């Protein structure tokens, strides 16, 4: 069902992303690593899961998906990856840092995360690993990039898909410094966009038809929710599946959307030193949109701010998809 709130896993469940799935599969089959980006609720996880399913069922590749939400260390990544591989009963040939027992593969006591991850990843063959929300590992990005650089140079039979906001690890993957082992080896990039009006209308029509609901108010929904598939799906689920009236379903979707974005923003702020500066910048952009106007408004609240520091704040908010830059204007993303 199109209005099922769980991430989609097969192409038949996924609406309007055939070209994107084809591109992702082509890049990974070609040996390229891939970054999937885009704003919240745009369908990155569904796109990745469907692509992995295609590679596994049609191409015979082994695939593992790891959600890194809340994982901030290489040990956390290693344990999550091993847990997934053990549950899928994927056999691997590792000896130095691991023990293979009846429950699967375990890390030896005292083994270092960097060397263990490197050994594990270099042991894989015909394998695609998807790391969702990879920006969670920003604090250990240097160590992770060292591991990835080693794997890229050593084992062409393993490929990666990365998703998340364009900060931290994602940004370094896109444009690594000259001393990085990944310099000159950029991943392919697939940025998911919101559905245009026509595709958004068709999505709503098909979803309503699946649930045998007569519906003719697509334009009102799109005007409020744009073409962001996650919000359209939530509205459809509330209205057509749970039976909420049109106004209540739309209002609830907007409220839930605000809560999700607010929680994401709180999570984003956890790693920031000057949280107040980011909060005030977001608050000011709701009123004015040009760089000088925004800075003036923020300084009225917080006092003098260095130009470079302020530019970095705006850039970080844009790269993290809380804002978007259109020409000379900065606008809040997910304004619904």
């Amino acid at each position: 069902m199109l209005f099922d709130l769980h991430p989609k896993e097969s192409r038949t469940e996924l609406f309007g992303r055939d070209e994107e799935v084809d591109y992702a599969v082509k890049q990974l089959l070609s040996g390229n690593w891939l970054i999937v980006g885009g704003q919240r609720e745009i369908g990155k996880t569904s796109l990745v899961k469907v692509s992995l399913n295609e590679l596994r069922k049609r191409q015979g590749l082994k695939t593992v998906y790891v959600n890194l939400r809340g994982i901030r260390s290489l040990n956390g990544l290693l344990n999550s990856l091993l847990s997934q591989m053990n549950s899928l009963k994927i056999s691997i040939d590792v000896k130095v840092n691991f023990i293979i027992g009846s429950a699967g593969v375990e890390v030896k006591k005292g083994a270092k995360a960097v060397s263990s991850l490197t050994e594990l990843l270099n042991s894989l063959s015909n394998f695609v690993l998807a790391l969702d929300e990879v920006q969670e590992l920003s604090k250990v990005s240097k160590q992770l990039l060292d591991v990835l650089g080693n794997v890229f140079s050593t084992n062409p039979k393993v490929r990666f898909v990365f998703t998340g906001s364009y900060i931290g690890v994602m940004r370094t993957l896109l444009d690594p410094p000259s001393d990085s082992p990944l310099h000159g080896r950029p991943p392919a990039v697939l940025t998911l966009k919101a559905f245009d009006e026509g595709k958004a209308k068709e999505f709503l029509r098909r979803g309503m038809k699946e649930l045998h609901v007569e519906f003719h108010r697509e334009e009102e929904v799109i005007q409020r929710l744009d073409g962001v598939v996650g919000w359209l799906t939530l509205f459809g689920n509330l209205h057509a599946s749970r039976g909420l009236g049109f106004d209540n379903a739309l209002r609830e979707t907007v409220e839930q959307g605000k809560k999700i974005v607010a929680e994401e923003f709180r999570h984003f702020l956890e790693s920031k030193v000057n949280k107040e500066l980011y909060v005030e910048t977001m608050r000011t952009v709701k009123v004015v949109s040009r760089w000088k106007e925004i800075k003036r408004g923020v300084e009225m609240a917080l006092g003098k701010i260095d130009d470079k520091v302020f530019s970095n704040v705006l850039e970080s908010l844009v790269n993290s998809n809380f804002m978007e830059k259109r020409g000379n204007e900065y606008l809040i993303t997910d304004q619904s």
Side-chain angles (χ1 to χ4, degrees), residues 82-96:
L82 281 178
S83 176
Q84 289 292 321
M85 295 179 72
N86 287 333
S87 67
L88 294 170
K89 301 187 184 305
I90 296 174
S91 60
I92 48 178
D93 182 21
V94 286
K95 301 174 182 177
V96 177

Side-chain angles (χ1 to χ4, degrees), residues 15-16 21 55 60 62 75 96 101 143 146 161 195 237-238 244 263 267 279 283 295 312 326:
F15 175 86
V21 171
L55 290 164
K62 298 169 187 174
N75 275 319
V96 177
Q143 299 98 303
D146 286 342
V161 183
F195 290 156
N237 185 279
L238 292 170
L244 266 67
E263 177 57 32
H267 189 62
V279 172
R283 185 180 294 126
K295 185 169 184 286
N312 287 340
R326 297 181 188 172

Side-chain angles (χ1 to χ4, degrees), residues 118-267:
T118 303
E119 181 188 359
L120 175 61
L121 295 172
N122 279 330
S123 74
L124 303 176
S125 180
N126 298 321
F127 198 93
V128 180
L129 172 59
L131 300 180
D132 201 354
E133 303 288 356
V134 73
Q135 75 276 357
E136 296 285 283
L137 295 172
S138 293
K139 290 184 178 179
V140 292
S141 59
K142 185 182 185 305
Q143 299 98 303
L144 176 61
L145 291 167
D146 286 342
V147 172
L148 294 177
N150 184 301
V151 174
F152 191 98
S153 301
T154 306
N155 186 9
K157 293 186 178 180
V158 64
R159 289 144 252 187
F160 287 85
V161 183
F162 308 95
T163 83
S165 304
Y166 287 91
I167 56 175
V169 177
M170 293 281 281
R171 184 173 180 182
T172 308
L173 284 167
L174 283 168
D175 187 20
S178 58
D179 60 347
S180 168
L182 292 172
H183 184 69
R185 301 162 173 176
V189 178
L190 174 59
T191 303
L192 298 186
K193 303 293 186 182
F195 290 156
D196 61 26
E197 184 177 351
K199 191 173 284 188
K201 285 182 179 179
E202 182 60 23
F203 176 82
L204 288 170
R205 290 187 188 117
R206 289 194 191 182
M208 296 294 176
K209 186 176 181 180
E210 285 180 344
L211 294 169
H212 310 290
V213 173
E214 190 76 20
F215 190 75
H216 302 288
R217 302 178 71 176
E218 295 89 357
E219 290 186 3
E220 294 176 64
V221 177
I222 296 165
Q223 185 177 10
R224 194 69 188 274
L225 304 179
D226 201 6
V228 179
V229 66
W231 306 142
L232 297 176
T233 301
L234 178 57
F235 167 79
N237 185 279
L238 292 170
H239 181 57
S241 180
R242 306 188 197 192
L244 266 67
F246 177 88
D247 291 334
N248 287 336
L250 191 55
R251 186 183 307 112
E252 179 67 16
T253 300
V254 171
E255 289 305 311
Q256 289 297 322
K258 288 179 179 178
K259 289 178 183 178
I260 289 172
V261 174
E263 177 57 32
E264 288 289 330
F265 190 58
R266 282 193 292 270
H267 189 62

